[in-house]
Amino acid sequence: MRLGVLDVGSNTVHLLVVDAHQGARPLPAYSHKADLRLAAHLEDGDRLSEDGESRLRAFVDEALQIAEDKGVEDLVAFATSAVRDASNGEEVLARLRAQTRVDISALSGEEEARLTFLAVRRWSGWSSGRLLVVDIGGGSLEIAVGIDEEPDAAFSLPLGAGRLTRDWFTADPPSPDEVRGLRRHVRAEIARHVGEVARYGPPDHAVATSKTFKQLARIGGAAPSGDGPYQRRVLRDAELTEWADRLARMPAAERAGLPGVSERRAPQLPAGAIVADAAMDLLGLAELEVCPWALREGVILRRLDMITG
């Protein structure tokens, strides 16, 4: 069957159309996305603005037309931290449901971590043993660990690359004091949760997902995306520590010239690198393998399991 997934993220809103059936790998058929930056449309600290809601409504209308044109039989829609954390997030989603008849649900941070873990488990296979998954989004950091398809532990922290850039940096590049302050904050937040992971023992396989990790791995010499999803791509902590420092001293325009770094993601890459470096260090990870599947694929797989189960 042909499935549509509407992902309302903190930076990007994305419609992915896939062809999928039981026992087969979901095959992407069409992709449409817009850089709405909903997290930047929060007013008074935590309310999604009318402009942000209007932009989201326009994209949903457009996505529905595309889904119809592409023959989508079933559409699943979800929102992550920008809408989840907005004080009026549920009001916005309720209006969208009434206006478009699309049921967009706000995933909890733990649900995000669990669904991403499911996607990585299916991609990596049972031979990966105890799996540790780390994901950095625009608004949050998700970590999950386990030996089955459901993780033993899964949690989310408000340490997304976009959120931290807005909250901690006032200049481009940020000042050394701002970088130092953010580094302290990030490490203290992650350190509080290390025990939740360590209690299950060291992982057999540690994996990263998300644009942030993909870009950091590419900067470190990993194969470009054009080489296909089956190339093994690895991010090493020793290289990341050096790059985290260098990225914080570069202006965004210079970062955008690095391999694999997009102009719109360049401003938030230093904060993302600080989070990635802290996670790898505090979790004792010498390297992370980058997985092409993440939250969207986890949502697709869960939906397929429900339909065919």
Side-chain angles (χ1 to χ4, degrees):
M1 67 183 303
R2 179 156 279 198
L3 293 175
V5 180
L6 180 59
D7 174 358
V8 180
S10 298
N11 290 316
T12 305
V13 183
H14 189 175
L15 172 69
L16 179 65
V17 177
V18 299
D19 291 321
H21 59 273
Q22 190 175 18
R25 177 173 62 92
L27 294 174
Y30 188 80
S31 175
H32 175 63
K33 66 180 72 173
D35 187 27
L36 296 191
R37 296 179 181 261
L38 291 179
H41 287 274
L42 295 178
E43 296 179 329
D44 303 322
D46 65 353
R47 284 185 61 83
L48 187 64
S49 69
E50 289 185 13
D51 183 48
E53 181 177 348
S54 176
R55 288 168 183 260
L56 178 56
R57 166 67 193 278
F59 184 90
V60 171
D61 287 339
E62 185 179 11
L64 285 174
Q65 185 59 58
I66 292 172
E68 181 181 320
D69 292 345
K70 298 300 179 183
V72 168
E73 301 170 63
D74 185 32
L75 179 70
V76 57
F78 64 91
T80 56
S81 64
V83 175
R84 176 175 70 232
D85 296 340
S87 61
N88 62 337
E90 281 302 329
E91 299 170 30
V92 170
L93 294 182
R95 284 192 289 270
L96 279 172
R97 291 185 196 108
Q99 294 163 354
T100 67
R101 299 189 183 278
V102 176
D103 186 10
I104 303 176
S105 60
L107 295 179
S108 71
E110 182 179 333
E111 286 175 318
E112 277 194 59
R114 290 182 174 277
L115 288 165
T116 302
F117 184 89
L118 172 64
V120 176
R121 168 60 76 193
R122 294 275 179 96
W123 179 272
S124 302
W126 295 111
S127 63
S128 295
R130 185 169 301 285
L131 191 63
L132 173 63
V133 178
V134 186
D135 177 89
I136 302 172
S140 58
L141 163 72
E142 277 74 45
I143 298 175
V145 63
I147 200 161
D148 297 316
E149 289 200 337
E150 280 292 325
D152 297 316
F155 57 90
S156 176
L157 301 174
L159 299 177
R163 180 198 297 267
L164 296 178
T165 301
R166 289 190 304 276
D167 292 351
W168 287 82
F169 294 163
T170 61
D172 176 36
S175 71
D177 284 345
E178 288 179 337
V179 172
R180 194 176 305 113
L182 176 58
R183 188 176 184 275
R184 281 197 302 267
H185 169 72
V186 167
R187 286 177 174 260
E189 286 289 312
I190 295 174
R192 293 190 188 105
H193 296 269
V194 167
E196 297 175 43
V197 176
R199 64 182 295 191
Y200 296 102
D204 300 305
H205 194 45
V207 177
T209 70
S210 78
K211 287 285 188 182
T212 294
F213 277 116
K214 289 176 182 177
Q215 291 183 341
L216 292 171
R218 181 74 183 96
I219 291 170
S225 58
D227 285 2
Y230 300 113
Q231 285 281 345
R232 187 171 187 269
R233 296 173 174 89
V234 171
L235 177 63
R236 294 178 176 82
D237 186 43
E239 297 170 355
L240 175 58
T241 299
E242 179 184 343
W243 271 108
D245 179 61
R246 291 176 62 184
L247 288 167
R249 290 185 276 109
M250 292 180 181
E254 186 176 347
R255 287 177 227 129
L258 295 170
V261 179
S262 65
E263 185 175 349
R264 63 186 179 85
R265 296 271 181 174
Q268 65 185 41
L269 194 56
I274 288 170
V275 175
D277 183 42
M280 293 187 73
D281 184 18
L282 293 169
L283 294 171
L285 306 174
E287 68 176 36
L288 282 166
E289 183 171 353
V290 179
C291 178
W293 278 10
L295 177 59
R296 274 189 297 274
E297 287 76 16
V299 170
I300 292 167
L301 292 167
R302 180 61 53 81
R303 187 70 162 189
L304 284 173
D305 289 347
M306 293 172 62
I307 293 172
T308 60

